[in-house]
Amino acid sequence: MAEMQGLMERLEQAVGRLESLSAGLHRPPGDCGEINGVSGGVAPSVEAFDKLMNSMVAEFLKKSRILAGDVETHAEMVHSAFQAQRAFLLMASQYQQPQEGPVASTASALSVLSVGPGLPPPPPPPGPPPPFDSEGRREESSPSRSALFAQLNQGEAITKGLRHVTDDQKTYKNPSLRAHGGQTPSPTKSHTPGPKCPQSHPPKKHAPVLELEGKKWRVEYQEDRNDLVISETELRQVAYIFKCSKSTLQIKGKINSITIDSCKKFGLVFDNVVGIVEVINSKDIQMQVMGKVPTISINKTEGCHIYLSEDALDCEIVSAKSSEMNILIPRDGDYREFPVPEQFKTAWDGSKLVTEPAEIMVSERPPNPLT
């Protein structure tokens, strides 16, 4: 089937050539005739375009028709576009090129307008703009700038307007002036007092609190109280002591944990704690353990004295960023004071750093004032 299609195409080409030769023998001189709908005797541009259509475009159409479908549809659209382009080239070749129109001038345009019936002559062009004295206006708008330039143009004479400073007004010769800020008020200027800083208001007074809130005992803002007692306690309860000063609190029974936060000159006496006792951001704290406590933590505190009982000697003391910490151990009916190290020495032993507390003298302390 493919061979038959090829033979048919070759036969069509041969027929076309024969028709061309036959038409060339019978047409009059100077006329190219018409072959397959293509007019002869055309312009060189149209002839070159026909060669393009008969070669590449014809080959494109032939192969697209074999593929059929969308390819064939697209090929027909391309063919239509080429035919429209050929018609445009043919029409353009049948008309002469327009001659060149003279260059219009302003005088000719004005003459045409003036000759026209019923049209008045155009108005004359406007004159030049009035001169603008920019320098004069600038000086009038800013007299201070003019005065500044005038002073600068004085040259060395500008120093004549400076005021002479006498010896009694010089700070390096009068130490008393430096004590008052180093400046002498000018007689030509009046000094007005500046706004005063707002006076600091006294701290707000809070009502003291000693109450059980859920599982937490709140002891807050107590001052000058040495009779504070919490007697009804349970194992699940905790105590939070906040901003109390010059007071003493006694906690009876067994409680989960105790926290002392931001207190000053505060004393605490408790029986048993199953968790931890913490001292945070406080100063001058005294604490006495009557029963047992596993851990006592001291952080950011200045002055903390802890009296341990016989049952609490296995308590662990954890401290950080604190000073003046002392642990008092019962000995023969009295207490012996052992300071907690605040200074440490570190040395390199050849393989690692070794840190040890500095030696502190051990001193005796009188009986506990809390009991």
Side-chain angles (χ1 to χ4, degrees):
M1 190 66 181
E3 295 179 356
M4 292 295 297
Q5 182 69 22
L7 291 174
M8 290 294 295
E9 292 176 355
R10 294 178 62 185
L11 182 60
E12 289 179 0
Q13 294 177 359
V15 172
R17 292 178 181 177
L18 291 175
E19 290 178 353
S20 176
L21 293 174
S22 177
L25 294 175
H26 295 90
R27 61 175 176 263
D31 187 7
C32 295
E34 183 176 352
I35 301 175
N36 291 336
V38 179
S39 179
V42 295
S45 59
V46 180
E47 185 178 358
F49 194 80
D50 288 342
K51 291 181 180 180
L52 176 64
M53 292 188 63
N54 292 331
S55 59
M56 297 179 62
V57 177
E59 186 71 15
F60 170 73
L61 291 174
K62 180 183 68 174
K63 294 182 178 180
S64 299
R65 286 166 182 165
I66 294 175
L67 296 175
D70 293 339
V71 177
E72 183 180 4
T73 303
H74 178 265
E76 294 297 336
M77 296 172 64
V78 174
H79 188 212
S80 300
F82 271 88
Q83 288 180 341
Q85 180 67 21
R86 185 188 183 282
F88 171 77
L89 293 174
L90 182 62
M91 183 180 296
S93 65
Q94 294 175 356
Y95 291 90
Q96 297 181 355
Q97 182 178 0
Q99 298 180 358
E100 295 183 359
V103 180
S105 61
T106 306
S108 61
L110 293 176
S111 61
V112 172
L113 291 175
S114 60
V115 172
L119 294 176
F132 181 72
D133 189 5
S134 59
E135 295 296 333
R137 293 196 176 187
R138 190 180 292 112
E139 291 180 359
E140 292 177 1
S141 61
S142 57
S144 59
R145 183 178 300 177
S146 301
L148 175 61
F149 287 140
Q151 292 181 359
L152 293 177
N153 292 331
Q154 294 180 7
E156 295 181 355
I158 194 173
T159 59
K160 294 181 179 180
L162 298 179
R163 182 174 60 87
H164 177 68
V165 180
T166 59
D167 292 340
D168 58 344
Q169 295 177 340
K170 298 177 180 178
T171 56
Y172 70 93
K173 291 187 177 181
N174 295 277
S176 60
L177 296 179
R178 292 196 298 268
H180 291 84
Q183 293 183 353
T184 302
S186 173
T188 59
K189 296 182 181 179
S190 59
H191 293 269
T192 58
K196 296 182 179 179
C197 297
Q199 297 181 355
S200 59
H201 297 283
K204 183 179 179 181
K205 297 287 291 184
H206 295 271
V209 177
L210 176 57
E211 64 181 6
L212 177 61
E213 187 179 78
K215 299 179 182 179
K216 179 171 71 174
W217 282 98
R218 293 177 51 199
V219 184
E220 302 175 359
Y221 306 107
Q222 299 285 346
E223 294 185 7
D224 297 319
R225 293 288 303 272
N226 296 320
D227 55 348
L228 301 174
V229 179
I230 298 177
S231 56
E232 299 178 0
T233 58
E234 296 179 3
L235 185 60
R236 60 178 182 174
Q237 294 176 350
V238 299
Y240 181 70
I241 306 166
F242 180 70
K243 284 196 174 181
C244 296
S245 62
K246 301 178 182 179
S247 301
T248 302
L249 171 66
Q250 182 179 2
I251 300 178
K252 298 181 179 181
K254 184 178 292 187
I255 197 170
N256 188 280
S257 64
I258 302 174
T259 301
I260 301 175
D261 187 4
S262 303
C263 295
K264 295 181 180 180
K265 296 183 179 180
F266 183 78
L268 173 66
V269 180
F270 62 91
D271 291 343
N272 295 283
V273 172
V274 297
I276 186 173
V277 176
E278 294 182 285
V279 183
I280 308 171
N281 298 322
S282 299
K283 186 175 182 180
D284 196 4
I285 303 298
Q286 293 192 18
M287 184 188 312
Q288 182 172 4
V289 184
M290 305 300 294
K292 296 190 65 174
V293 59
T295 307
I296 297 177
S297 175
I298 308 172
N299 292 318
K300 298 180 181 180
T301 297
E302 298 180 6
C304 184
H305 303 278
I306 302 174
Y307 294 83
L308 297 179
S309 64
E310 293 286 348
D311 297 333
L313 294 179
D314 58 348
C315 173
E316 294 183 352
I317 309 296
V318 181
S319 62
K321 298 181 180 180
S322 300
S323 60
E324 300 180 19
M325 299 171 290
N326 294 280
I327 309 299
L328 292 99
I329 307 298
R331 290 288 179 85
D332 301 329
D334 201 354
Y335 284 93
R336 186 178 181 184
E337 185 178 73
F338 294 89
V340 177
E342 302 173 19
Q343 296 180 346
F344 300 87
K345 58 181 180 180
T346 302
W348 178 256
D349 66 350
S351 60
K352 63 181 181 301
L353 292 175
V354 178
T355 302
E356 296 178 352
E359 295 182 359
I360 302 178
M361 298 298 295
V362 179
S363 61
E364 297 289 339
R365 187 175 181 88
N368 180 17
L370 297 179
T371 56

